[in-house]
């Protein structure tokens, strides 16, 4: 959209920055019927990008947003990566054994990710207002006033109930609210170039990581193209970049040269972490809140998941379904993850920044083999890649209850409060004959109540379930036994799913009757054994504080 469009004088939410983080937040708000104004200082989307890899957890977020089909149609599925030293493969990681909704990475240029998200936002009635930059802001206890300027020099002000800065590592929003940021710049620059690799001798669905000089990472992309990430340690290297890249590629696959390359792009990278994610009515997300080494591909993904966490909370507050204290949980949940990703990036950078000496390369090779050759190490590396294991167990916004006390909770099998709801199935719906999985139940914008019944418990009446929930929330009863063994009403039968194989009960660690309340972002808000609807009521009261 052109910057010449007139902006509203007031909006419930002003989002500054229309990258993947800002677009994801706008989608999460608009699909909950919350109006927002999304601005970006660039008159048009940027034609270049850096981020490539979309991890499994972000794909789950995109599926919930209603965009997964377009992503899968346009992206390239990557099923693992191979590690090379001195021209030989020394270790590998495969994602195919992972038990998750999307056991793979999806590789797609960041500008195409933005195209898909922009189209989804527009299909929901939202838009991006381009060519507007933030010049400054002031806030009170009830609103934020932002001074904006168009690319043509037109100045205006917009008042918002809330403002979210998703405007990148040099965030003007963060600067305007005086939030400090700590971190460091990595000494070596990264570079990226795209091209073709005809007669590549390795799997086309796996990235390659070369640890000896010249260190580079070929990553498969859509359309049979490859994206080559490489390191530049001094200025003298920049004169012959393509020759150095070809030398590295030939070490991995003899006779290979990069065909039809585009212009190499060099950039500095940082590890940063903002002291806070919230200042009264202004919040930060994505690179405005944190930055990490690109070596593990977590940067864009962490920002998308920031928005997936923040979006439902902001909507609840704006619609009066929660107190604004709910927004404090955003930083408490997301900042530790950003810090952990930053630490992990530092370790990876140290492994890659090694002297060009055989003994140093051999040492790193031994370290990587020690981590990745054992089956447990393989699984841990793959799970870290997916980001599904990131949890909020320490959040004040999750609860656990067991009638036998805290010790019994410690012995729970399956996921804990704060974990992502795992994928499992099949579930059979008696009335519709549909076959579903747990993830299929996460399509709504509200909370989901799962009543895991056994043949020792009468199923609840549907009116009791509905009474315990808030408007927009949903509930289902899941049992391994047929409903004829239970006392139930017809309205309860409509919500009944049969776990015929027992795989769902097993994945959730259910031995005795248990209740789960799942948050709109797919994390477990409450695990309660045995089921007690008053625990659900207590949780909703927690949201009001």
């Amino acid at each position: 959209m052109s910057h010449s469009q007139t902006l509203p004088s007031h909006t419930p939410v002003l989002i500054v920055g229309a990258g993947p983080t800002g677009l994801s937040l706008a989608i999460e708000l608009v699909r909950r019927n919350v109006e927002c104004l999304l601005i970006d200082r660039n008159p048009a989307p940027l034609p270049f990008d850096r981020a490539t890899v979309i991890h499994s957890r972000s794909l789950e977020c995109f599926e919930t947003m209603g965009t997964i089909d377009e992503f899968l149609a346009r992206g390239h599925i990557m099923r693992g990566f191979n590690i090379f030293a001195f021209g030989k493969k020394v270790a590998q990681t495969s994602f195919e054994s992972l038990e998750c909704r999307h056991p793979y990475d999806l590789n797609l240029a960041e500008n195409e990710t933005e195209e898909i998200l922009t189209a989804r936002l527009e299909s929901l009635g939202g838009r991006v207002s381009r060519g507007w930059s933030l010049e400054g802001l002031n806030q009170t206890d009830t609103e934020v006033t932002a001074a904006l300027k168009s690319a043509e020099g037109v100045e205006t002000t917009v008042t918002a109930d809330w403002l979210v800065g998703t405007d990148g590592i040099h965030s003007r929003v963060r600067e305007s609210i005086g939030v400090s940021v700590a971190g460091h710049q990595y000494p070596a620059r990264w570079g990226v170039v795209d091209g073709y690799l005809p007669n590549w001798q390795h799997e086309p669905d796996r990235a390659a990581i070369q640890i000896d000089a010249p260190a580079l990472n070929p990553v498969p992309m859509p359309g049979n193209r490859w994206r080559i990430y490489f390191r530049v340690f001094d200025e003298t290297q920049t004169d012959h970049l393509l020759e150095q890249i070809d030398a590295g590629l030939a070490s991995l696959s003899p006779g290979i040269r990069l065909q039809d390359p585009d212009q190499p792009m060099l950039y500095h990278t940082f590890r940063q972490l903002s002291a806070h994610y919230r200042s009264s009515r202004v919040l930060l997300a994505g690179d405005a809140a944190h930055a990490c080494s690109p070596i593990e591909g977590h940067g864009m993904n962490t920002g998308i998941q920031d928005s997936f966490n923040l979006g439902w909370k902001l909507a609840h507050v704006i619609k009066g379904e929660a107190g604004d204290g709910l927004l404090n949980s955003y930083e408490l949940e997301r900042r530790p993850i950003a810090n952990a990703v930053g630490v992990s990036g530092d370790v990876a950078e140290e492994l890659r920044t090694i002297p060009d000496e055989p003994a140093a390369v051999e040492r790193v090779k031994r370290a990587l083999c020690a981590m990745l050759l054992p089956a447990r190490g393989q699984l841990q590396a793959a799970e870290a890649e997916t980001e599904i294991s990131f949890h909020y167990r320490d959040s004040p916004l999750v609860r656990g209850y067991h009638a036998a006390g805290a010790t019994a909770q410690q012995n729970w099998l399956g996921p804990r409060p704060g974990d992502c709801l795992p994928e499992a199935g099949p579930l059979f719906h008696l009335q519709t004959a549909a076959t579903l999985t747990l993830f299929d139940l996460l399509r709504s914008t509200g909370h989901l109540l799962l009543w895991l019944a056994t043949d020792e418990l009468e199923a609840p009446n549907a009116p009791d379930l509905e009474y315990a929930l808030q408007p927009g929330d949903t509930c289902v009863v899941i049992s391994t036994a047929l409903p004829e063994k239970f006392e139930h009403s017809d309205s309860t039968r409509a919500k009944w799913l049969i776990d015929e194989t027992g795989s769902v009960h097993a994945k959730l660690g259910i031995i005795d009757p248990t209740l789960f309340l799942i948050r709109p972002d797919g994390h477990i808000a409450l695990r309660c054994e045995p089921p007690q609807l008053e625990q659900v009521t207590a949780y909703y009261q927690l949201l009001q504080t």
Side-chain angles (χ1 to χ4, degrees):
M1 291 295 184
S2 169
H3 56 265
S4 61
Q5 289 182 320
T6 301
L7 300 183
S9 60
H10 177 268
T11 182
V13 185
L14 173 60
I15 306 171
V16 181
T21 300
L23 287 163
S24 296
L25 179 59
I27 290 170
E28 284 300 280
L29 292 171
V30 173
R31 75 187 189 98
R32 290 178 169 83
N33 299 314
V34 173
E35 293 182 9
C36 64
L37 173 61
L38 174 59
I39 65 169
D40 195 277
R41 63 184 178 86
N42 296 300
L46 296 176
F48 58 85
D49 66 280
R50 297 175 186 173
T52 300
V53 178
I54 305 172
H55 294 312
S56 302
R57 178 56 182 155
S58 295
L59 292 173
E60 290 184 350
C61 298
F62 288 156
E63 186 163 4
T64 304
M65 293 179 197
T67 62
I68 190 63
D69 290 342
E70 186 70 10
F71 273 103
L72 293 177
R74 295 174 63 171
H76 181 90
I77 288 177
M78 185 170 74
R79 302 190 185 279
F81 53 84
N82 299 321
I83 297 177
F84 294 83
F86 307 115
K88 296 182 179 180
K89 184 167 70 173
V90 297
Q92 66 178 12
T93 292
S94 176
F95 308 145
E96 294 176 293
S97 62
L98 290 169
E99 296 181 357
C100 60
R101 182 75 168 183
H102 300 282
Y104 45 78
D105 282 338
L106 189 75
N107 296 345
L108 186 66
E110 184 179 352
N111 56 309
E112 293 195 57
T113 292
E114 292 178 0
E115 287 178 11
I116 295 171
L117 294 176
T118 299
R120 177 56 175 158
L121 177 61
E122 292 174 350
S123 74
L124 293 168
R127 64 182 175 90
V128 181
S129 296
R130 292 198 169 273
W132 290 99
S133 60
L134 177 74
E135 298 298 302
L137 63 85
N138 291 291
Q139 60 175 320
T140 68
D141 292 340
T142 58
E143 63 184 17
V144 185
T145 300
L148 307 179
K149 179 185 285 188
S150 76
E152 300 141 330
V154 176
E155 298 181 353
T156 189
T157 60
V158 173
T159 300
D161 299 329
W162 300 91
L163 186 149
V164 184
T166 58
D167 51 340
I169 193 169
H170 304 294
S171 171
R172 185 60 188 274
V173 173
R174 186 184 65 229
E175 177 185 307
S176 298
I177 58 177
V179 171
S180 62
V181 60
H184 52 261
Q185 177 178 308
Y186 293 108
R189 283 184 295 171
W190 277 89
V192 62
V193 61
D194 285 8
Y196 293 97
L197 297 179
N199 302 315
W200 179 248
Q201 296 174 14
H202 307 288
E203 301 96 325
D205 59 356
R206 280 168 169 74
I209 299 175
Q210 181 173 254
I211 60 176
D212 54 313
L216 48 78
N217 302 353
V219 177
M221 298 291 288
N224 296 318
R225 288 181 71 83
W226 287 76
R227 175 158 293 175
I228 316 299
Y229 289 96
F230 56 93
R231 307 296 294 275
V232 177
F233 292 92
D234 59 63
E235 292 300 327
T236 62
Q237 290 183 281
T238 62
D239 296 332
H240 306 284
L241 284 178
L242 292 178
E243 290 88 343
Q244 295 164 26
I245 291 168
D246 281 339
L249 292 171
S251 176
L252 296 174
S253 183
I256 284 290
R257 292 177 62 88
L258 186 64
Q259 300 293 317
D260 191 24
D262 59 10
Q263 182 64 38
M265 183 175 67
L266 304 178
Y267 53 94
H268 292 285
T269 57
F270 304 81
R271 177 189 172 189
Q272 288 187 178
L273 186 61
S274 296
H276 298 289
Y277 284 16
R278 180 185 180 187
S279 173
S280 188
R281 289 185 167 263
V282 179
L283 300 110
L284 303 173
D287 287 351
H290 49 76
C292 63
S293 165
I295 201 168
E296 296 174 309
H298 290 307
M300 177 184 70
N301 291 273
T302 307
I304 290 165
Q305 292 162 42
D306 284 347
S307 292
F308 204 63
N309 179 290
L310 178 59
W312 73 269
K313 296 174 181 177
L314 199 51
H316 264 58
V317 171
I318 290 170
K319 296 165 77 171
E321 297 169 351
D324 67 17
L326 174 63
L327 297 177
N328 292 331
S329 68
Y330 163 64
E331 176 179 328
L332 293 173
E333 292 177 350
R334 295 302 302 169
R335 193 172 182 275
I337 288 175
N339 185 58
V341 165
V343 170
S344 177
D346 278 353
V347 172
E349 285 279 348
E350 184 177 355
L351 286 173
R352 297 305 304 278
T353 309
I354 56 176
D356 184 15
E357 301 170 357
V361 175
E362 283 287 350
R363 186 175 186 278
V364 172
K365 183 184 78 171
R366 289 194 298 271
L368 292 171
C369 288
M371 288 187 287
L372 295 177
L373 290 183
R376 181 176 179 82
Q378 278 266 334
L379 181 61
Q380 288 176 335
E383 288 179 341
E385 184 81 5
T386 67
E387 301 180 342
I388 289 175
S389 60
F390 291 160
H391 63 78
Y392 307 142
R393 291 182 182 179
D394 298 325
S395 170
L397 199 62
V398 302
R399 290 286 187 270
Y401 172 83
H402 196 295
T407 301
Q409 290 186 42
Q410 294 173 4
N411 294 326
W412 269 335
L413 302 174
R416 306 293 181 93
D419 291 352
C420 274
L421 181 71
E423 173 68 317
L427 294 168
F428 182 70
H429 195 289
L430 289 178
Q431 285 196 340
T432 65
T435 299
L436 306 169
T437 69
L438 285 179
F439 192 87
D440 291 327
L441 304 178
L442 298 175
R443 303 297 186 182
S444 71
T445 58
H447 287 74
L448 167 68
L449 190 152
L450 301 177
W451 187 292
L452 278 297
T454 70
D455 52 10
E456 301 170 359
L457 177 75
E458 293 183 355
N461 290 318
D464 294 334
L465 291 173
E466 295 291 351
Y467 181 78
L469 298 177
Q470 289 187 335
D473 294 348
T474 57
C475 57
V476 294
V477 177
I478 302 176
S479 69
T480 54
L482 293 175
E484 283 72 17
K485 294 186 177 182
F486 296 81
E487 295 183 12
H488 62 88
S489 64
D490 290 339
S491 58
T492 303
R493 187 183 181 91
K495 303 178 184 300
W496 206 296
L497 299 174
I498 304 300
D499 179 19
E500 292 181 304
T501 66
S503 58
V504 172
H505 280 68
K507 193 68 174 285
L508 295 179
I510 303 303
I511 300 173
D512 297 309
T514 303
L515 176 152
F516 286 93
L517 186 65
I518 313 301
R519 303 183 342 177
D521 59 5
H523 285 261
I524 297 170
L526 170 68
R527 179 170 178 170
C528 177
E529 185 179 341
Q532 294 184 3
L533 292 179
E534 54 265 34
Q535 294 293 331
V536 177
T537 301
Y539 171 79
Y540 284 128
Q541 291 173 346
L542 177 67
L543 298 184
Q544 298 299 326
T545 59

